[in-house]
Amino acid sequence: MAIKEETGRARHVAIIMDGNGRWATERGWPRLVGHRKGAERVKEIVRAAPDLGIEWLTIYAFSTENWKRSTEEVLGLMAIFARYIEREADRLATEGVRMRFIGDRSRLDAKLQKLMAGIEARTAQFSRLNLTVAINYGGRDEMVRAMRRLCADAAAGRLDPAALSEATISGALDTVGLPDPDLIIRTSGETRTSNFLPWQSAYAEYEFTPTLWPDFRPDELATILSRFGNRDRRFGGVRKA
Ligand code: IPE
Ligand code: IPE
Ligand code: MG
């Protein structure tokens, strides 16, 4: 979607939820305990988001690179995702949350894929909050999958390469229909984007907080959002007097 030149409020907030492992390790606990705690924080942030003026919330749950972790951790994370969907479905529906997923689902377990499709269908009519969860998501992987489809369209004569535009590419990505993020927050003190929304974040503002994700609460989100309100987003132009 085109860059919307609206300053003041972060309508679309995207979060790189990082630091679960360190949070657990610091306490001498297995990493999965940190991931479970992290899922609790997701529930809390999702509940708080609409009252903070957020209309779109996109969260990075599992990257295309996270398969490098131990089988135990990967399976544990997948179980947490499935449990979240099963346990939160009613509440999401009651609260008017539309849940969607981005990323390549084909590598995910069939049962999880079914749960994902089920909750997307069940909440499709809601719009109080648009919650998008990135699972097996990588910005480069998303781009490759989109390019394969566009190239196939061009080869079949359905797409004129000369007519290819930014809108065509945006429309071929997993995030089709989502506005670009206004603000991307990363917890845990790392100041990198780790393959999260590279195309969509061209004009996003970034906030990096040292807080580990299991310690990230709505009051910190509120503080970050109030700082966002003071930013001067110029989108390449000149500040209006
Ligand atoms: C973020 O926490 C959650 C996922 C990437 C799934 P990490 O698991 O990356 O936690 P740290 O960075 O090791 O502390
Ligand atoms: C990014 O965190 C991915 C998610 C939050 C799901 P990582 O912990 O995987 O990123 P790196 O390895 O520190 O770049
Ligand atoms: Mg990490």
Side-chain angles (χ1 to χ4, degrees):
M1 209 176 263
I3 293 163
K4 214 168 172 192
E5 302 209 11
E6 184 195 318
T7 50
R9 189 158 63 90
R11 295 176 60 227
H12 184 176
V13 175
I15 306 180
I16 302 170
M17 309 182 290
D18 197 16
N20 294 349
R22 275 163 284 172
W23 185 91
T25 305
E26 273 174 8
R27 289 161 176 77
W29 295 336
R31 293 176 58 85
L32 276 170
V33 176
H35 294 314
R36 272 184 224 119
K37 203 59 164 179
E40 293 302 314
R41 291 291 89 81
V42 171
K43 291 180 198 166
E44 212 171 76
I45 294 294
V46 166
R47 232 165 285 150
D51 290 336
L52 294 172
I54 297 170
E55 295 167 44
W56 305 79
L57 178 67
T58 301
I59 55 176
Y60 203 5
F62 193 90
S63 77
T64 46
E65 288 70 40
N66 287 147
W67 297 104
K68 293 176 192 162
R69 299 186 180 197
S70 73
T71 309
E72 185 194 4
E73 184 168 351
V74 169
L75 292 180
L77 280 163
M78 297 298 159
I80 289 169
F81 303 149
R83 206 159 44 229
Y84 181 93
I85 298 170
E86 284 170 337
R87 295 203 182 155
E88 285 300 291
D90 288 344
R91 189 198 301 274
L92 294 173
T94 311
E95 295 184 353
V97 179
R98 177 172 186 178
M99 191 174 192
R100 280 181 260 224
F101 299 91
I102 54 172
D104 180 2
R105 322 178 175 201
S106 64
R107 196 171 163 186
L108 304 177
D109 170 274
K111 182 185 164 227
L112 179 58
Q113 287 190 42
K114 205 166 160 217
L115 283 169
M116 289 160 70
I119 189 99
E120 282 181 328
R122 180 165 174 206
T123 63
Q125 77 270 34
F126 301 129
S127 60
R128 184 163 163 264
L129 177 71
N130 288 279
L131 171 66
T132 303
V133 184
I135 299 183
N136 192 23
Y137 175 86
R140 289 184 170 184
D141 177 71
E142 174 189 42
M143 192 69 73
V144 168
R145 288 184 285 106
M147 291 306 147
R148 280 193 193 130
R149 284 197 302 276
L150 292 175
C151 290
D153 284 349
R158 292 188 294 266
L159 173 73
D160 173 8
L164 192 73
S165 66
E166 291 188 10
T168 321
I169 294 177
S170 292
L173 298 175
D174 296 349
T175 48
V176 58
L178 270 63
D180 287 338
D182 299 299
L183 173 66
I184 299 183
I185 299 167
R186 182 169 188 150
T187 59
S188 90
E190 309 297 351
T191 50
R192 54 180 170 267
T193 64
S194 302
N195 208 4
F196 190 45
L197 303 174
W199 170 272
Q200 301 85 340
S201 65
Y203 268 100
E205 301 286 328
Y206 281 89
E207 279 274 352
F208 299 97
T209 169
T211 306
L212 301 176
W213 177 252
D215 291 328
F216 189 82
R217 312 302 290 249
D219 56 346
E220 183 168 2
L221 177 58
T223 305
I224 290 173
L225 291 172
S226 65
R227 264 205 302 277
F228 175 88
N230 297 325
R231 289 181 180 221
D232 179 19
R233 299 181 80 196
R234 290 184 291 277
F235 299 101
V238 177
R239 184 181 195 165
K240 289 185 193 80

